[in-house]
Amino acid sequence: MEIDKKRAILKHNLDSMWNFYDEVEQFVSQIDSPREVPDFSGYVESVIKEPKDPFLEVLDTASISQIAFTIKSCKRCSLSVTRTHSVPGSGVINAKVMVVGEGPGESEDLSGEPFVGKAGVFLDSWLHAISLSRTENVFITNVVKCRPPGNRNPLPEEIETCEVYLDRQIALIKPEVILCVGKVAGNHLLHKSGTLSSLRGKFYNYHSIPLLVTYHPAAVLRNLALKRDVWNDLQLLAQFLHLQLKRKGE
């Protein structure tokens, strides 16, 4: 590789310079024995760095709207072949809370918007109950931005390919708290492999951002017994952010 050749040449030149310096110092200072040549490898690598992926370089300077535009035309993984629309995410840019799910469902795939089906309506009711709203203080997105066929869990390689988008969104939005809904989102951001029940009920630290995990709205719709756990998690979030709990009918 060209970069390895450049590093080898630089290291050779540094070694030669050291030997010359050492010979001069021996002559001037009457030092008898030559000293061992230092290892310049770390310095060489810092001077001649690995080339950066041009795509990542562009993404590093992109705004939220530019990221959304890039996601809409993304073809970096096989999910782009089966999707109708990609779903970048939506909400408030300087959000108090960033909600992260696993991936778009059928309704989201058809509309290009996150959480707009039954699960989305349910999620909105959760947020409203603790004085949050996607139009006022929340940004909602997913780990992967295109619907996995049949609503299956996204594959590890699909998550890995798509994670650059989520990482950049989090860095730009700088939410006060990240709320992961579902095991896939929680395990991905926390680099864990636990069950949802083992992840929920406490705050974690994600790059200095508090992170809370709770059940996905779709899972609660399938098993309404989970509502109690979700409400406990939401109250924990509300207490942390000093949010007012809404009464029924408000």
Side-chain angles (χ1 to χ4, degrees), residues 59-206:
L59 206 63
D60 279 347
T61 59
S63 65
I64 287 294
S65 59
Q66 289 169 332
I67 291 171
F69 181 81
T70 303
I71 291 171
K72 288 177 181 178
S73 58
C74 180
K75 298 186 184 300
R76 287 168 55 83
C77 81
S78 59
L79 293 181
S80 63
V81 178
T82 56
R83 75 179 182 221
T84 304
H85 294 101
S86 57
V87 185
S90 66
V92 179
I93 303 304
N94 297 315
K96 186 179 288 289
V97 175
M98 187 171 186
V99 178
V100 180
E102 62 184 58
E106 182 179 11
S107 299
E108 292 74 22
D109 177 64
L110 293 173
S111 68
E113 294 293 328
F115 284 88
V116 293
K118 291 181 179 179
V121 174
F122 203 18
L123 174 63
D124 284 338
S125 70
W126 294 2
L127 298 175
H128 176 76
I130 56 172
S131 300
L132 292 173
S133 165
R134 67 171 85 198
T135 61
E136 295 178 6
N137 46 22
V138 173
F139 188 92
I140 302 176
T141 189
N142 288 291
V143 171
V144 296
K145 312 304 186 185
C146 298
R147 181 195 182 195
N151 288 355
R152 63 162 171 76
N153 287 342
L155 302 175
E157 57 266 29
E158 294 165 350
I159 293 175
E160 182 179 356
T161 301
C162 215
E163 69 180 349
V164 291
Y165 295 128
L166 179 59
D167 290 346
R168 183 61 181 157
Q169 287 175 321
I170 294 173
L172 286 172
I173 291 170
K174 298 181 177 66
E176 293 182 36
V177 173
I178 296 172
L179 177 64
C180 289
V181 289
K183 181 175 69 173
V184 171
N187 279 327
H188 169 63
L189 288 181
L190 295 174
H191 298 289
K192 293 181 178 289
S193 57
T195 62
L196 198 292
S197 60
S198 69
L199 294 174
R200 58 162 295 275
K202 57 185 175 183
F203 281 101
Y204 299 87
N205 186 314
Y206 176 82

